[in-house]
Amino acid sequence: MTILITGGAGYIGSHCCVAFLEAGHDVVVIDNLSNAHPECIERIAEITGKKVAFEEVDIRDQAAVERVLRKHQCSAVIHFAGLKAVGESTKDPLAYYDNNVVGTHRLLSAMSNCGVRQMIFSSSATVYGEPQFLPITEKHPLNAVNPYGRTKLIIEDMLRDIATSNPAWKFSILRYFNPVGAHKSGMIGEDPLGIPNNLMPFIAQVAAGRREQLSVFGNDYDTRDGTGVRDYIHVVDLVAGHLRAYEALASRETPSNCFVVNLGTGAGYSVLEMVSAFERASNKQIPCVTAPRRNGDVAEIYADISTALEVFDWKAENDLDAMCRDTWNWVCKNPRGYEGR
Ligand code: NAD
Ligand code: UD1
């Protein structure tokens, strides 16, 4: 039985391919390469020593998705494909509703037509909005505050409705906190186009001398040093959580046929703590300047991880030093990311 990985040439999807191939599963990747480089597929093959089935397909092309599902006799889907930049989503919401919501609808329709009824879905902690209590449990009220977050919430609701309509469907909705780091080989990692939106890739580019300094967005939050606190999780741990989610779906030992699990470490680190940790890992200075708060940012957010422990018997293993070390290794080995982008 083969697992279809949508967006498998992207940052998290590529690490997921490695984890599943190394665990002995067969996978097929579909990706439209809108935010990925085909070189990534070669690297996955090199790391695992296995050939990777890849089809350049857009999830919105329902007929093409059905062809892939049938050709590879897929039994489950891990769904990463989508757009993910909050700022961009406020400027071009239609692109986000099209790629994320319409795309997922077409993907689910294709699955339905092919009798494939298991999906692991990449959701985000962004669906919680401003925290009303910490740590954030899966029961925390949902309040997405930007178009990107709303697309994730709409998709989650779509999955809940489908699961209610027919118990044969099984969904695991995984709400990621802040994935960072890279595979320890340094062969795959995060390769943002243009100026990185997220903290870790920006810090890495400053350390590498590609950018002059980090702008710290706000130093007057009600946190231990005034800067924003987030729950960073090593991408290798994150994808290990997907393996456990897949095993749980396959074993039927799940709380329901549509269940939600936070994937984080449960610990929060501030921007300045991240900078110090990266300075230690890279042995470089990261010049910082204070800048105004970024619109839509919350002061502090970190996960309650007890559901993951209960349902998956899983928790993250890598600490902050490992996250920084592996990011730095990837950046040093690939100073311009996957070449030619
Ligand atoms: P990414 O951009 O690296 O990967 C997404 C992949 O999907 C890319 O390879 C892109 O080419 C592909 N893609 C986009 N639209 C497509 C379409 N219509 N058809 C086929 N392929 C398409 O992003 P990532 O960081 O690996 O994120 C993966 C998933 O996890 C996304 O759904 C994202 O919203 C979610 N997520 C990411 C983070 C994060 O911090 N990286 C946090 C929370 C949730
Ligand atoms: C962002 C997204 C969120 C997404 C998450 C993971 C926004 C508003 N939210 O969240 O939807 O799920 O990424 O992909 O974009 N920071 C700086 N300087 C920088 C970059 C970031 O100080 O150049 C600070 C931020 O203010 C924040 C922290 O670093 O306090 C982390 O930022 P980031 O990596 O963008 O993640 P999130 O804000 O959690």
Side-chain angles (χ1 to χ4, degrees):
M1 289 302 202
T2 302
I3 302 163
L4 174 68
I5 302 188
T6 76
Y11 170 45
I12 304 171
S14 57
H15 289 81
C16 189
C17 289
V18 169
F20 275 72
L21 287 166
E22 285 182 340
H25 297 287
D26 290 326
V27 307
V28 55
V29 171
I30 60 171
D31 201 302
N32 67 357
L33 301 179
S34 60
N35 194 32
H37 194 283
E39 167 72 15
C40 181
I41 299 293
E42 308 300 323
R43 304 269 184 105
I44 297 167
E46 229 174 291
I47 294 170
T48 59
K50 297 187 178 171
K51 204 173 160 345
V52 184
F54 172 67
E55 311 257 4
E56 190 174 336
V57 163
D58 192 298
I59 55 167
R60 290 165 294 184
D61 183 347
Q62 189 181 322
V65 176
E66 286 186 22
R67 266 199 307 279
V68 173
L69 287 170
R70 290 208 169 90
K71 178 174 155 196
H72 295 270
Q73 297 184 313
C74 295
S75 57
V77 174
I78 308 180
H79 179 30
F80 295 102
L83 303 179
K84 62 164 186 178
V86 173
E88 187 185 62
S89 79
T90 62
K91 294 193 183 86
D92 192 359
L94 276 178
Y96 275 69
Y97 285 99
D98 186 34
N99 255 279
N100 296 3
V101 178
V102 174
T104 305
H105 179 275
R106 300 251 167 87
L107 172 65
L108 286 160
S109 304
M111 289 171 66
S112 177
N113 287 347
C114 297
V116 181
R117 295 206 175 81
Q118 292 189 24
M119 178 189 271
I120 296 171
F121 172 61
S122 303
S123 190
S124 167
T126 196
V127 298
Y128 295 119
E130 180 81 38
Q132 293 177 18
F133 55 81
L134 288 169
I136 296 257
T137 65
E138 290 82 357
K139 294 205 162 63
H140 185 284
L142 303 177
N143 180 30
V145 295
N146 54 62
Y148 164 68
R150 276 189 280 275
T151 65
K152 290 290 176 190
L153 210 42
I154 290 169
I155 295 167
E156 283 200 9
D157 283 336
M158 187 154 63
L159 302 185
R160 282 185 272 272
D161 285 339
I162 297 168
T164 306
S165 76
N166 179 351
W169 283 92
K170 290 181 113 186
F171 297 111
S172 179
I173 295 173
L174 305 180
R175 295 190 183 135
Y176 309 161
F177 280 67
N178 292 63
V180 295
H183 191 262
K184 64 179 182 316
S185 64
M187 291 179 67
I188 55 172
E190 190 170 12
D191 181 20
L193 270 179
I195 302 171
N197 295 308
N198 297 118
L199 180 65
M200 187 66 131
F202 202 104
I203 289 180
Q205 291 193 2
V206 176
R210 280 178 68 183
R211 307 205 177 267
E212 212 174 300
Q213 59 195 18
L214 172 75
S215 297
V216 177
F217 298 147
N219 64 356
D220 56 354
Y221 284 108
D222 184 16
T223 59
R224 50 185 173 266
D225 62 18
T227 65
V229 168
R230 298 290 183 274
D231 184 341
Y232 299 92
I233 174 169
H234 197 298
V235 65
V236 168
D237 284 329
L238 187 86
V239 298
H242 290 61
L243 206 46
R244 299 294 300 125
Y246 176 75
E247 286 159 4
L249 278 185
S251 73
R252 295 164 200 269
E253 283 163 15
T254 56
S256 72
N257 68 329
C258 182
F259 59 99
V260 183
V261 179
N262 284 338
L263 295 185
T265 64
Y269 290 99
S270 74
V271 175
L272 297 182
E273 287 165 342
M274 293 300 286
V275 169
S276 301
F278 209 91
E279 287 183 334
R280 276 198 306 277
S282 62
N283 212 13
K284 301 273 180 196
Q285 281 243 301
I286 320 276
C288 295
V289 290
T290 304
R293 291 180 177 195
R294 184 172 64 180
N295 258 346
D297 268 357
V298 301
E300 185 164 18
I301 182 164
Y302 50 90
D304 181 305
I305 53 167
S306 50
T307 305
L309 203 53
E310 240 169 73
V311 180
F312 296 161
D313 190 23
W314 169 89
K315 69 180 180 36
E317 286 171 3
N318 286 284
D319 61 13
L320 189 56
D321 288 336
M323 299 179 211
C324 295
R325 178 199 64 212
D326 293 339
T327 304
W328 184 234
N329 183 39
W330 153 253
V331 168
C332 289
K333 289 189 170 147
N334 307 269
R336 281 174 301 282
Y338 298 108
E339 296 285 340
R341 279 248 272 166

